[in-house]
Amino acid sequence: MSTASACHILVKTKAEAESLKSKLDAGADFHKLAKQYSTCPSGKKGGDLGEFRKGDMVPAFDKAVFSGPLYKIQGPVKTQFGFHLIKVLYRS
């Protein structure tokens, strides 16, 4: 079974996600932005979701984590929860 670890920032609008992505692309700290802006409880931990298995997350999120590049900010990825910026730390 495939596993991965990722951090994410969850916000309500695509515009907000794109604005945060611009800040990240310019060198802003992912964990600080997650603590400040993420609406997910994981925001308190800098967006860290810990390790999870393929299929544990909603399909669009799962696809980004298990098929996207490592360490590169992906998104905005839309799910029923809002818009995610995702950074995959590792996967096996």
Side-chain angles (χ1 to χ4, degrees):
M1 180 61 97
S2 297
T3 60
S5 179
C7 297
H8 79 138
I9 299 172
L10 175 63
V11 292
K12 297 246 184 284
T13 68
K14 187 174 185 181
E16 193 178 359
E18 287 170 345
S19 168
L20 289 171
K21 187 167 187 184
S22 295
K23 290 179 183 179
L24 290 165
D25 289 344
D29 184 274
F30 191 96
H31 299 289
K32 283 183 184 156
L33 289 183
K35 283 180 178 169
Q36 195 172 350
Y37 295 102
S38 186
T39 60
C40 179
S42 70
K44 290 180 182 59
K45 297 183 288 186
D48 190 354
L49 293 167
E51 187 174 279
F52 50 90
R53 289 195 303 271
K54 190 168 187 167
D56 283 353
M57 302 294 183
V58 294
F61 192 94
D62 216 50
K63 182 176 182 216
V65 168
F66 286 97
S67 63
L70 293 174
Y71 312 115
K72 188 175 182 298
I73 308 301
Q74 297 182 72
V77 174
K78 187 180 190 315
T79 70
Q80 70 261 44
F81 303 108
F83 293 86
H84 305 261
L85 295 175
I86 304 166
K87 183 161 99 175
V88 181
L89 304 176
Y90 68 82
R91 63 177 167 249
S92 59

